[in-house]
Amino acid sequence: MTLSHHDGRWPTSGLSYGADYNPEQWSPDVWRDDVRLMQEAGVNMVSLGIFSWGLVEIADGEFSWGWMDEIVDLLEEGGIAIDLATPTAAPPGWLLFEHPEFRPVDHDMQPHWPGARLGWCPSNLVFRSYATRIARAVAERYGDREHVVMWHVGNEFGGGNGRCYCDTSAAAFRRWLREKYGTLDALNEAWASAFWGHTYRDFEHILPPRGHDSKNPSLVLDFDRFSSDELLQHYLAERAVLKEVTPDLPVTTNFMVGAEPDVVDYARWAPHMDVVANDHYTRSPDATPQQDVAFSGDRMRSMTTDRRPWLLMEHSTSGVNWQPRNRAKDPGEMIRNSLSHIAHGADGVMFFQWRASRGGAEQFHSGMVPHAGEDTRVFREVCELGRHLRALAPVQGSRAPQGRVGILFDDEAGWAMTKGVKPNNLLPYGTLVRDWHRAFWRLNVGIDVLPPWNSFAGYEVLVVPALFLVDDDTARRVTEFAEAGGTVVVGVVSGIVDENNQVRLGGYPGAFRDLLGVWSEEVVPLQAGDRFELDNGWGGIEWTEHVRVRDAEVTARYSGGPLDGLPAITSRAVGQGGRAIYVSAAIDPASIGEFVGDLLSSDENPLPDGVELVVRDTDDERFSFVINHSLRDVRVPIAGVELLTGLAVDDILELPAGEVRVIRSSI
Ligand code: GAL
């Protein structure tokens, strides 16, 4: 899926550095100080106006631009570029008061009360007309300002209004279904709606999956798809207005790509972004937050056209305020994470937010300037990161080479797997995928986390973890990949349903049964506290299957338990030296680690434990990011010029605990 819009120019010359800037929370004397501190920190771009709708459109059609004019002037004088937002994430109070019907309604039919944000129904076209009007007003007023370099549409689409069940949404859902299926017969067939006699006789009888009861999984999945599409339509409507006024400015919005299925289908949204941007927050507890950074980057990179750089639009300098206990980052952690994002393909690092708020819903969230001010560890690290990013200017525009390993990730599969009633309803999609990613990441193998429609050409290994829903085309292309000599690893809960969310009959994992040369008769989920063991010493929890072998070698069997002696892991030789491996039991991360270690030939120089090596290339140069996640100083064999210190490294890099170095060399 490639749409071409923009010429690919990056909004800043040099890696972007900055934050959401919310001057509306502060008085004008603070603004001047802000610009001084931004210059000191090396900030070159801020995202402005994200939550300012109520402050610029003070009544219906009545605009008050004074403060924003002043801020735009100040930033321009200070040489700071502006990623200017359409402020539509937070509609003004007067608008929601006049139009209570704009409020999104949850599955219990409870409206969201004003006082938060994203309080609008994505299908409400009257709301959309207000949103495009303010987008046009902002674009017409500031679009020709030299320092306005990019549009930031709304904020985190779907974060609050990801699913709306109101009557307007219901009507839009029915329109969407008519367009998708054409006839009721086709819909009834795709949804297997004869179950419980639910066969639909009229499109008007179809409702969103309201309430708590079990709903038809095909309906639920279509509602997820519809909801993502509706929000995308809203984004596209604002984008169209911006492009009409300023055809040459890039347009983006910030994704929330993490490890779980996303609220909207980002891989399907990405082609509509001129710059693909992400917000990433590490969570606690997470034993390997550094892998989470890598995972999101490996996903982001695969969403950009031709592996172009992406933008880290938000992360935090230290603690957030929305977890039960908000962990302050360790000294050096913020810099290490930031440079890891760059290593994984970002050409900019931005934060939420510039100055920690004094009041309001996010008053205890960290910022680039903490409550305690500039004489702080956080602000000193912010300045240090600014210096590093300037030193890394040569990296801008370089791209990560294709990885050895492709791991498939699909929001539709995740939605289908985690909703409705399943043999085991406690399996988290993202965790299953991330467990595989972590094992390869630990071996410092290049990984791309791909949408299933991506080309698989050039990968050595293709991992299909928890790809519960698979269409025929993907199943065929995975098979062709193995036939052409690749290694396919199919993990648990894969290939079970088709794109309509109906079970593929004849044994799991239906879509890959022929490729794997096995089928499984039955899923045998484990109960809480139970564990299975395999005869090679591996083990795990949660999911096992009664596997039957047609044409494959058994490489591990159950030892004890109800499946004692039966196959758990199988391998089949395919085509020109290819292999198809079925890991039918949910082996634990340590076992996955051993599996992956056995799978990949270990001809590479092993790095010290806890050291990550990630590369970005231009046509003739390589930038090797060496990231020491460990608490020990290490020595890494590598040569070139180190960009952060400017020192030549002859053959051994001395890398202190917790630090990052970037080696430039020719290729
Ligand atoms: C993001 C959001 C920001 C801010 C931040 C706090 O999800 O876009 O506006 O709320 O979280 O971590």
Side-chain angles (χ1 to χ4, degrees):
M1 207 192 305
T2 302
L3 303 182
S4 96
H5 299 290
H6 182 247
D7 62 7
R9 242 177 319 121
W10 193 254
T12 51
S13 61
L15 301 174
S16 311
Y17 187 42
D20 282 18
Y21 182 36
N22 298 309
E24 61 275 19
Q25 299 175 9
W26 303 96
S27 58
D29 52 311
V30 178
W31 301 350
R32 276 172 193 78
D33 214 35
D34 284 338
V35 173
R36 173 184 70 80
L37 290 173
M38 284 177 192
Q39 288 169 333
E40 193 176 325
V43 163
N44 62 2
M45 180 167 82
V46 292
S47 302
L48 181 70
I50 298 178
F51 301 112
S52 63
W53 191 351
L55 300 171
V56 291
E57 189 173 356
I58 51 176
D60 198 341
E62 194 184 314
F63 298 94
S64 161
W65 300 106
W67 68 273
M68 208 177 208
D69 289 352
E70 221 180 298
I71 281 288
V72 169
D73 288 346
L74 264 179
L75 290 169
E76 262 183 17
E77 282 159 28
I80 291 160
I82 304 171
D83 164 38
L84 189 57
T86 66
T88 50
W94 59 260
L95 185 59
L96 296 178
F97 182 80
E98 281 166 27
H99 291 279
E101 75 282 6
F102 287 175
R103 288 181 282 164
V105 166
D106 69 18
H107 64 109
D108 276 334
M109 297 306 283
Q110 293 298 316
H112 294 204
W113 292 100
R117 53 185 168 175
L118 288 154
W120 46 272
C121 161
S123 299
N124 194 302
L125 298 182
V126 182
F127 174 76
R128 202 174 287 175
S129 69
Y130 277 98
T132 48
R133 182 175 78 179
I134 185 67
R136 181 180 296 279
V138 172
E140 285 176 347
R141 189 157 190 97
Y142 300 111
D144 62 354
R145 297 293 292 256
E146 198 194 329
H147 279 66
V148 172
V149 294
M150 183 159 69
W151 296 118
H152 180 298
V153 177
N155 192 64
E156 293 192 340
F157 272 81
N161 61 352
R163 305 288 177 272
C164 173
Y165 298 78
C166 76
D167 289 340
T168 303
S169 295
F173 183 40
R174 290 189 282 267
R175 274 197 300 278
W176 185 92
L177 292 170
R178 275 180 206 271
E179 207 165 293
K180 174 168 180 181
Y181 292 107
T183 65
L184 272 179
D185 283 351
L187 178 143
N188 282 320
E189 178 66 25
W191 285 11
S193 49
F195 186 85
W196 283 346
H198 284 170
T199 300
Y200 291 97
R201 310 279 178 210
D202 190 325
F203 273 101
E204 290 307 306
H205 299 167
I206 301 173
L207 289 172
R210 293 172 176 164
H212 289 276
D213 322 315
S214 285
K215 292 288 179 332
N216 183 321
S218 308
L219 177 156
V220 174
L221 177 62
D222 268 343
F223 190 67
D224 284 333
R225 289 170 168 143
F226 153 80
S227 301
S228 179
D229 282 0
E230 286 295 276
L231 282 158
L232 179 61
Q233 289 313 313
H234 183 102
Y235 164 82
L236 290 175
E238 289 198 36
R239 179 191 156 91
V241 165
L242 299 170
K243 285 288 178 190
E244 203 186 305
V245 182
T246 56
D248 296 330
L249 278 188
V251 180
T252 189
T253 190
N254 42 347
F255 290 177
M256 299 178 271
V257 162
E260 290 309 321
D262 308 301
V263 62
V264 300
D265 196 336
Y266 290 124
R268 288 178 172 85
W269 281 48
H272 303 283
M273 308 292 137
D274 295 321
V275 168
V276 184
N278 192 35
D279 298 349
H280 184 272
Y281 291 92
T282 50
R283 282 154 201 271
S284 44
D286 181 342
T288 52
Q290 60 277 33
Q291 181 237 342
D292 195 42
V293 170
F295 182 79
S296 73
D298 291 346
R299 273 191 73 194
M300 290 305 294
R301 212 178 41 240
S302 311
M303 288 191 212
T304 64
T305 313
D306 302 330
R307 317 172 66 72
R308 274 196 210 147
W310 52 277
L311 175 65
L312 180 68
M313 188 65 92
E314 290 181 24
H315 72 152
S316 65
T317 55
S318 190
V320 296
N321 68 337
W322 39 264
Q323 296 181 0
R325 294 185 187 87
N326 295 289
R327 196 176 73 80
K329 287 190 174 159
D330 293 335
E333 184 179 350
M334 177 277 280
I335 293 182
R336 192 165 61 248
N337 286 357
S338 299
L339 298 179
S340 298
H341 284 292
I342 300 282
H344 285 273
D347 260 4
V349 168
M350 313 271 290
F351 293 94
F352 177 84
Q353 60 181 332
W354 165 248
R355 199 179 266 281
S357 309
R358 175 174 48 182
E362 301 190 287
Q363 63 182 160
F364 290 105
H365 197 289
S366 59
M368 291 176 90
V369 183
H371 286 151
E374 56 193 285
D375 181 14
T376 48
R377 174 187 71 80
V378 165
F379 190 69
R380 277 189 288 280
E381 287 197 17
V382 159
C383 294
E384 190 182 338
L385 176 59
R387 287 191 292 277
H388 287 339
L389 293 176
R390 281 199 297 280
L392 290 181
V395 169
Q396 190 176 14
S398 61
R399 300 179 188 194
Q402 180 173 355
R404 280 173 75 186
V405 177
I407 300 181
L408 300 191
F409 184 104
D410 184 23
D411 280 313
E412 290 192 350
W415 291 333
M417 182 193 131
T418 51
K419 296 186 178 180
V421 281
K422 302 286 160 24
N424 182 335
N425 293 299
L426 299 173
L427 292 179
Y429 175 66
T431 306
L432 290 175
V433 182
R434 226 185 101 177
D435 284 350
W436 283 97
H437 179 273
R438 190 184 304 104
F440 289 102
W441 172 80
R442 284 221 159 99
L443 294 182
N444 273 300
V445 172
I447 312 164
D448 296 324
V449 182
L450 306 166
W453 55 86
N454 207 95
S455 162
F456 305 147
Y459 292 103
E460 187 179 322
V461 178
L462 189 64
V463 186
V464 185
L467 200 71
F468 178 69
L469 175 149
V470 178
D471 62 21
D472 291 348
D473 182 57
T474 302
R476 181 183 51 75
R477 291 185 308 106
V478 169
T479 302
E480 285 169 3
F481 169 81
E483 285 167 353
T487 296
V488 169
V489 180
V490 176
V492 293
V493 210
S494 288
I496 295 182
V497 300
D498 64 15
E499 69 274 24
N500 293 323
N501 217 350
Q502 291 199 35
V503 172
R504 293 173 174 275
L505 300 180
Y508 319 120
F512 304 116
R513 202 170 47 219
D514 292 343
L515 168 66
L516 296 166
V518 303
W519 81 99
S520 91
E521 284 190 28
E522 197 177 9
V523 174
V524 186
L526 274 67
Q527 298 306 302
D530 286 354
R531 206 182 142 71
F532 64 83
E533 305 293 341
L534 305 186
D535 59 4
N536 61 0
W538 300 350
I541 56 175
E542 299 289 3
W543 185 281
T544 56
E545 291 176 14
H546 180 175
V547 169
R548 304 272 302 274
V549 174
R550 182 175 52 76
D551 167 27
E553 183 197 337
V554 178
T555 58
R557 294 180 184 274
Y558 292 98
S559 166
L563 300 175
D564 186 35
L566 292 177
I569 304 180
T570 60
S571 173
R572 174 170 175 254
V574 186
Q576 323 276 316
R579 258 201 299 167
I581 300 173
Y582 189 32
V583 182
S584 74
I587 54 173
D588 54 27
S591 306
I592 294 179
E594 288 189 31
F595 173 93
V596 164
D598 293 349
L599 186 72
L600 293 183
S601 46
S602 53
D603 49 353
E604 288 169 36
N605 245 348
L607 290 165
D609 267 0
V611 174
E612 184 180 359
L613 174 70
V614 193
V615 299
R616 292 179 57 163
D617 292 345
T618 62
D619 289 343
D620 46 14
E621 283 191 310
R622 165 155 288 190
F623 301 98
S624 304
F625 288 72
V626 195
I627 308 165
N628 188 355
H629 296 293
S630 81
L631 299 173
R632 293 165 296 110
D633 300 349
V634 294
R635 307 180 82 225
V636 177
I638 195 162
V641 174
E642 204 290 308
L643 286 177
L644 304 184
T645 56
L647 300 174
V649 176
D650 289 340
D651 49 7
I652 295 288
L653 171 71
E654 307 278 351
L655 181 57
E659 297 213 1
V660 181
R661 295 288 183 268
V662 185
I663 309 289
R664 181 183 198 173
S665 56
S666 17
I667 38 180

